[in-house]
Amino acid sequence: MQAWRTPDGRTLVAGPVGPLSDTLLGPHGILGPDGASLTEEHTYYELDASGALWHVYETTVSSVEYELYATTYRVEGTALHGYESSCDAFSGESRHRHTVKFTGLTPLAPEETPSEERIHAMLIQRGASAG
């Protein structure tokens, strides 16, 4: 697993990577920095300074009336980027937005990287406390 330290002392850990549905938002897709449709979805786990799970960055899909939204994330260089696309089902118009969630990521050495087992245990605990 790959991991980075954020400037404020948090840890960002790369999780699973899988294919991004090519039917997401119909023919519009989620556009990346080069204007081409993204083909993979990435998951990232943000741990706070004490090592507890703080936030999960994963591909999300939502809708409001006739508008369908999808967001996915990528670490590029030293920053975590968010790519959001939306499609108006009524008019067929699509919009694409790029945000930078945070910058200044510093790669961690493998021995400093939380294990997959530790991340998995935190996700189970989070699910149990949410229910």
Side-chain angles (χ1 to χ4, degrees):
M1 295 180 78
Q2 191 172 9
W4 303 264
R5 182 83 59 222
T6 66
D8 65 356
R10 296 180 190 267
T11 302
L12 186 68
V13 182
V17 176
L20 188 62
S21 171
D22 58 1
T23 60
L24 203 58
L25 298 179
H28 307 282
I30 301 176
L31 300 186
D34 60 359
S37 291
L38 297 174
T39 59
E40 293 180 333
E41 61 179 286
H42 296 240
T43 300
Y44 298 94
Y45 306 106
E46 184 180 5
L47 312 180
D48 66 17
S50 71
L53 185 62
W54 179 260
H55 187 78
V56 178
Y57 293 94
E58 59 189 341
T59 300
T60 58
V61 178
S62 61
S63 64
V64 177
E65 294 187 14
Y66 296 106
E67 195 87 16
L68 180 63
Y69 299 88
T71 304
T72 195
Y73 300 92
R74 299 281 185 285
V75 168
E76 296 168 5
T78 62
L80 177 65
H81 298 260
Y83 295 97
E84 179 183 290
S85 293
S86 64
C87 178
D88 184 310
F90 185 71
S91 71
E93 286 183 39
S94 63
R95 289 186 299 276
H96 307 280
R97 187 173 80 136
H98 167 247
T99 58
V100 176
K101 296 299 177 183
F102 43 80
T103 62
L105 296 174
T106 305
L108 292 180
E111 62 272 9
E112 296 178 277
T113 300
S115 68
E116 288 183 52
E117 293 79 16
R118 180 170 168 219
I119 297 291
H120 184 70
M122 286 189 278
L123 291 169
I124 290 172
Q125 182 180 8
R126 181 184 199 191
S129 65

